[in-house]
Amino acid sequence: QVQLVESGGGSVQAGGSLRLSCAASGYTYSPICMGWFRQAPGKERDGVAAINTDDGSIRYADSVKGRFTISQDNVKNTLYLQMNSLKPEDTAMYYCAADYRRWSGGSCYYRAPASYNYWGQGTQVTVSS
């Protein structure tokens, strides 16, 4: 059974940094798509960044471009999200997700949350002004 466990969330002031980790276990080959999503209270779950593991291509939400960096460590089976220059509007629960099924829509960033099979439990990020 695939399990994803996020960590690294917390409370920071605007301008600060956090690095989220998503440790994956229970699979024998890499997912096709891995991504980070976030959900603020009363809002929909939105994509933040995603990686196509077959070619390593990456795409970010416009709101985080230049501030966030997604990366993966295949030896440790861990996905990361380095978040710099944090803003209060980045406050949300952050989730990592993975799916093994073929994706023909180009960047995994365009894969809707409902199409991801595996999710972590989430880690809260709170940014104060």
Side-chain angles (χ1 to χ4, degrees):
Q1 181 69 19
V2 174
Q3 286 191 320
L4 303 176
V5 179
E6 300 101 334
S7 61
S11 296
V12 296
Q13 290 191 327
S17 298
L18 286 172
R19 188 175 82 153
L20 306 185
S21 299
C22 173
S25 62
Y27 62 81
T28 56
Y29 57 95
S30 294
I32 296 295
C33 292
M34 294 197 76
W36 287 98
F37 293 81
R38 66 186 181 186
Q39 189 168 19
K43 295 189 176 181
E44 293 184 349
R45 189 169 296 189
D46 292 327
V48 175
I51 185 167
N52 294 49
T53 61
D54 53 354
D55 62 8
S57 59
I58 288 170
R59 198 168 191 98
Y60 298 94
D62 288 342
S63 59
V64 306
K65 279 181 184 176
R67 301 188 297 122
F68 290 11
T69 303
I70 187 173
S71 61
Q72 60 178 354
D73 184 327
N74 291 327
V75 174
K76 296 182 179 179
N77 289 336
T78 301
L79 185 72
Y80 299 101
L81 186 68
Q82 177 67 43
M83 306 187 296
N84 298 328
S85 302
L86 283 161
K87 303 176 181 180
E89 51 264 44
D90 294 318
T91 295
M93 186 71 79
Y94 283 71
Y95 300 89
C96 70
D99 201 276
Y100 293 86
R101 294 167 295 178
R102 290 182 62 84
W103 172 247
S104 59
S107 170
C108 289
Y109 176 77
Y110 298 112
R111 192 167 196 164
S115 72
Y116 278 85
N117 261 347
Y118 300 101
W119 290 87
Q121 82 287 355
T123 185
Q124 177 68 37
V125 171
T126 302
V127 185
S128 58
S129 57

